[in-house]
Amino acid sequence: MDNSDSHDDALANRILKYAAATSKTSDLPPFPGDDVESLPSDYEYQEGDYDDEEYDEEEVEEISEMELLSHLDASMPPLLLAQELFNSDVDASTFSVLKSTNANQLFEQGYTVLDNVLPLSTIQSVRQWATEMFKSGQMDKASGKHNEEDDPFREGNARGDYTIWVSPGSKFLEVSPELKACVDWFSRELHEDLTKVVHLHGQAEYQLAYYPPDSSHYERHRDSFPTDDKEDIDQRRVTAIVYFNPDWKQGNGGELRIFDKGMGDEDEKEIDIAPLAARCVVFLSGVMDHAVMPAFEERIALTSWYR
Ligand SMILES: O=C(O)CCC(=O)C(=O)O
Ligand SMILES: [Fe+2]
């Protein structure tokens, strides 16, 4: 056995131990219904994410999410796995908001973009409402809620946005009918169309995010682990984001950067998508690494994750 084989075996061993340990406890958020406002945020690649007592007791060596994901990607391109979750008999004529090209792009490249999904008046109202929520201190800083002393690897600046959970039933939807219209679009039209394309289990979460104009950003991360398991209800399958930035111009920053490795290509491509008003980006949560570039103007987005 040469060195690289033994290294692979050692890593495979650590992954197995790690998977066994982490499967006993889940830090995935519960589904909306009980305490939607306190749902934790999604995955970020950070050293030491699982560096807590439970794992220490079991003497499991930590593996960062980045390390684990790159190992998983090397053994199987995540897009190939995710393609197993696509339905074969999709009838695009029954879509209400997607086009057949969107479904094809989601399958072939892992992401797609839809424009003008909501009226501009709705976009303006939600933007104004979100800005007021931020200014009155009613949104939570997404990073830094954990104890940074206990968890020095997970920096408080992995993401600079402020968020609220706005899943159906949230009190916020009662006070902003325009926001409710947006969540309804996500939870009805888009969810129904996506369910025709990808095998989904029906659960979804919705989060409104405000990025202040101080170079706030969100580091490269993935929203879930890749899977081809139709029965797996833990992993997020599809991420969709709508933007509320009517005056966005080149130079304002805040682009969504998608890292496209295709079918495991060595040279990944970086695709920057402008966060234009009423634009919706849809991607496979376990496939696409992505980041939010530093924002120099207020940037507002509503994200949904479908499982
Ligand atoms: O707002 C965006 O464009 C992306 C946000 C994101 O990646 C996330 O919330 O997980
Ligand atoms: Fe994300």
Side-chain angles (χ1 to χ4, degrees):
M1 188 185 288
D2 69 29
N3 276 345
S4 81
D5 280 350
S6 62
H7 174 265
D8 279 356
D9 283 357
L11 182 57
N13 249 326
R14 285 170 62 204
I15 288 172
L16 284 177
K17 279 194 186 166
Y18 173 88
T22 54
S23 68
K24 288 177 198 145
T25 55
S26 169
D27 68 346
L28 284 163
F31 289 118
D34 23 49
D35 187 11
V36 290
E37 261 71 65
S38 67
L39 291 173
S41 187
D42 57 327
Y43 292 108
E44 293 158 18
Y45 295 139
Q46 295 298 331
E47 292 283 338
D49 268 2
Y50 295 96
D51 195 11
D52 67 19
E53 281 170 16
E54 260 165 288
Y55 307 129
D56 286 346
E57 275 166 24
E58 296 177 19
E59 291 183 11
V60 174
E61 196 182 347
E62 91 196 32
I63 297 175
S64 70
E65 277 163 16
M66 181 65 102
E67 200 181 359
L68 183 55
L69 280 164
S70 66
H71 180 76
L72 293 171
D73 291 353
S75 61
M76 171 73 93
L79 183 57
L80 206 58
L81 275 183
Q83 284 177 340
E84 296 291 320
L85 300 172
F86 277 70
N87 301 321
S88 52
D89 51 350
V90 180
D91 179 0
S93 71
T94 66
F95 288 159
S96 63
V97 294
L98 291 179
K99 303 263 179 294
S100 64
T101 45
N102 298 124
N104 289 336
Q105 287 171 349
L106 204 55
F107 181 83
E108 281 160 16
Q109 61 187 27
Y111 69 92
T112 188
V113 179
L114 292 76
D115 279 316
N116 304 314
V117 299
L118 290 160
L120 213 51
S121 57
T122 307
I123 296 289
Q124 295 276 21
S125 303
V126 171
R127 181 177 179 87
Q128 199 179 341
W129 186 82
T131 307
E132 280 160 19
M133 286 292 287
F134 170 75
K135 295 207 162 127
S136 59
Q138 294 184 72
M139 294 180 96
D140 303 317
K141 183 134 181 49
S143 268
K145 279 186 276 185
H146 60 285
N147 183 341
E148 281 162 39
E149 267 175 38
D150 288 351
D151 190 359
F153 296 106
R154 186 166 198 167
E155 290 177 18
N157 61 2
R159 56 190 291 188
D161 57 333
Y162 291 74
T163 59
I164 49 172
W165 290 96
V166 294
S167 297
S170 156
K171 61 180 184 227
F172 298 122
L173 302 185
E174 285 162 31
V175 293
S176 171
E178 291 84 6
L179 178 62
K180 183 174 182 304
C182 299
V183 172
D184 283 349
W185 182 83
F186 270 124
S187 66
R188 295 176 189 165
E189 279 95 332
L190 185 61
H191 198 166
E192 280 166 22
D193 281 0
L194 287 171
T195 302
K196 292 172 184 166
V197 179
V198 184
H199 190 88
L200 296 175
H201 284 272
Q203 296 91 346
E205 305 136 90
Y206 308 87
Q207 185 180 62
L208 185 66
Y210 171 95
Y211 288 76
D214 59 359
S215 313
S216 60
H217 60 280
Y218 192 160
E219 285 175 2
R220 178 173 179 160
H221 65 283
R222 207 177 297 179
D223 289 350
S224 69
F225 285 109
T227 180
D228 61 352
D229 180 0
K230 287 199 170 137
E231 304 315 312
D232 180 343
I233 55 163
D234 285 337
Q235 299 302 331
R236 293 164 170 172
R237 302 253 167 98
V238 181
T239 302
I241 311 162
V242 169
Y243 299 109
F244 298 82
N245 310 305
D247 302 318
W248 190 90
K249 290 185 275 317
Q250 197 76 37
N252 288 3
E255 293 90 346
L256 173 70
R257 177 166 290 179
I258 287 185
F259 301 89
D260 183 5
K261 273 197 293 260
M263 285 296 181
D265 305 345
E266 290 263 309
D267 324 314
E268 66 180 14
K269 292 192 289 288
E270 290 175 358
I271 295 122
D272 284 351
I273 301 174
L276 298 180
R279 169 168 282 179
C280 178
V281 182
V282 181
F283 58 86
L284 301 172
S285 314
V287 174
M288 309 310 297
D289 283 4
H290 57 283
V292 176
M293 303 312 286
F296 309 112
E297 291 294 333
E298 291 173 316
R299 177 195 194 269
I300 289 149
L302 176 61
T303 303
S304 60
W305 292 279
Y306 303 103
R307 303 189 195 214

